[in-house]
Amino acid sequence: MFSFFKKKPPVAPLVAPQVAAATQTTADASPTPAPLAERKSWLDKLRAGLRKTGSGIAQVFSGTQIDEALYEDLESALLMADTGVKATEYLLADLRRRVKDGRVTEPSAVKALLADAVTDLLQPLQRPLTVGEHTPTVIMVVGVNGAGKTTSIGKLTRHLAESGQKVLLAAADTFRAAAKEQLAVWAGRNGVEIVSQEGGDPSSVTFDAVTAGKARGCDVVIADTAGRLPTQLHLMEELRKVKRVIGKAQAGAPHEVLLVVDGNTGQNALAQVKAFDDTLQLTGLIVTKLDGTAKGGVLAAIALWARERGASGPVPVYFIGVGEQLEDLETFDAREFATALLG
């Protein structure tokens, strides 16, 4: 359901088969474009996943007047949703301005303005993942244990493979005993090749994988790495080494350094983003496990940090996940997320 864009000639959108131009009909409905129907289904899942987050915020607007009590209740609701102090203050200030400029008098209308404010804050995070500028495009994936890193790689690989990309996986998580086997299962399901070593270190595996990817004419090489906490400085340094070695195997690589974060961890997710960015200069995020979370507001905190990141610019959220199924990983859309977040 999501698209990748190949920039090598001829310039053309690379679209997964399930979003190819098609229509579906029912006995009592006019034809509906399949992509729109599928996206609506995804949005329903996203709303359901963020219901715990959105219910507390939505209740704030059930009153009859706009007063300081409403703003105080909204502040509490945003903080409970793990939006964070800075992002909450930012959104409240923006919302007060919008209410004043629009001369709004109904609480229900304030909710719509808050959706606009959240959308504008999140908009810089919305950007598509691009493959095809480099051959191969090398993607290094990092994250803490349990964030859903290897599963996200498997889902991403499936979509890339179905989009006609030749993908090679690098089993560079040599720390966790079952990591190589788990990645091999995904490789088998998706019909792609995998490079691994018995007893090899992560840098050696990634070097071999990138070299093999170049020799075999692969479009994309994805390197899985060992999960670790940002406080494990020696292991974070190992990630930095893996990144350097990838650059030796292919000049300018890795082209993407993606961090997978668990949306359930709230403000800890923001701390992870900051720490991994300091070490690796992240190029994108995948936010997982947003189904059933009460902490979906953390994306607002990440967005505000991204605005203040400086010359490097915002780190985009390429994908968000709301479950374990293949279709539960989708491209991030700021408006969709803001709408779902507010119930």
Side-chain angles (χ1 to χ4, degrees):
M1 281 186 286
F2 50 82
S3 302
F4 305 90
F5 296 90
K6 292 175 71 69
K7 292 193 175 179
K8 57 188 178 185
V11 178
L14 180 61
V15 183
Q18 61 264 45
V19 300
T23 59
Q24 51 190 23
T25 62
T26 62
D28 57 352
S30 58
T32 302
L36 294 179
E38 290 169 0
R39 194 72 191 190
K40 183 179 182 300
S41 175
W42 157 255
L43 185 54
D44 290 340
K45 288 184 181 181
L46 183 60
R47 286 196 181 105
L50 292 174
R51 186 170 292 129
K52 287 184 180 179
T53 301
S55 59
I57 300 175
Q59 289 175 5
V60 173
F61 304 102
S62 60
T64 58
Q65 59 184 341
I66 302 172
D67 52 18
E68 283 304 310
L70 181 147
Y71 288 112
E72 289 176 6
D73 289 345
L74 181 56
E75 179 181 31
S76 298
L78 289 172
L79 290 173
M80 288 294 292
D82 253 351
T83 303
V85 174
K86 290 183 69 175
T88 296
E89 291 176 347
Y90 177 92
L91 286 172
L92 287 175
D94 190 14
L95 180 62
R96 286 178 183 271
R97 177 187 60 78
R98 291 172 188 263
V99 169
K100 181 180 178 180
D101 291 348
R103 298 181 180 179
V104 174
T105 59
E106 296 294 328
S108 58
V110 178
K111 182 180 177 182
L113 292 180
L114 179 60
D116 291 339
V118 173
T119 298
D120 288 348
L121 177 59
L122 297 178
Q123 195 66 50
L125 303 184
Q126 181 181 323
R127 199 168 76 208
L129 173 65
T130 299
V131 299
E133 279 190 313
H134 310 277
T135 305
T137 297
V138 182
I139 301 173
M140 178 179 174
V141 184
V142 299
V144 304
N145 284 322
K149 180 169 48 66
T150 304
T151 300
S152 295
I153 290 173
K155 293 177 181 179
L156 178 57
T157 299
R158 171 66 67 86
H159 284 292
L160 285 165
E162 289 184 345
S163 299
Q165 302 297 288
K166 185 177 181 181
V167 182
L168 179 66
L169 301 181
D173 181 354
T174 59
F175 183 77
R176 185 165 59 94
K180 181 176 68 174
E181 289 74 15
Q182 184 182 359
L183 195 67
V185 169
W186 279 109
R189 288 177 182 172
N190 297 325
V192 303
E193 296 179 297
I194 182 172
V195 171
S196 62
Q197 293 180 2
E198 290 294 335
D201 64 49
S203 298
S204 176
V205 174
T206 50
F207 184 90
D208 286 354
V210 175
T211 302
K214 292 165 64 178
R216 300 174 192 178
C218 293
D219 297 299
V220 182
V221 175
I222 304 177
D224 189 15
T225 61
R228 61 211 49 210
L229 295 173
T231 53
Q232 298 170 309
L233 299 181
H234 63 295
L235 295 179
M236 293 294 280
E237 181 57 38
E238 184 180 79
L239 284 181
R240 188 181 280 118
K241 178 184 176 184
V242 169
K243 183 181 179 184
R244 287 198 306 268
V245 170
I246 290 175
K248 292 179 180 179
Q250 180 177 350
H255 308 105
E256 297 284 351
V257 180
L258 307 185
L259 173 66
V260 179
V261 291
D262 181 346
N264 277 301
T265 58
Q267 289 299 298
N268 189 42
L270 175 59
Q272 291 174 28
V273 172
K274 290 179 178 178
F276 277 92
D277 187 55
D278 286 343
T279 301
L280 299 169
Q281 293 75 56
L282 299 174
T283 64
L285 305 175
I286 300 175
V287 182
T288 64
K289 304 183 182 181
L290 286 171
D291 45 320
T293 183
K295 301 181 178 182
V298 69
L299 259 71
I302 291 173
L304 189 61
W305 165 79
R307 283 181 175 234
E308 301 169 350
R309 191 170 177 238
S312 299
V315 179
V317 175
Y318 286 136
F319 308 107
I320 55 177
V322 293
E324 293 298 321
Q325 301 303 313
L326 174 65
E327 61 270 18
D328 294 336
L329 183 74
E330 251 296 355
T331 48
F332 173 71
D333 181 282
R335 171 61 68 178
E336 286 180 353
F337 190 88
T339 301
L341 184 70
L342 301 183

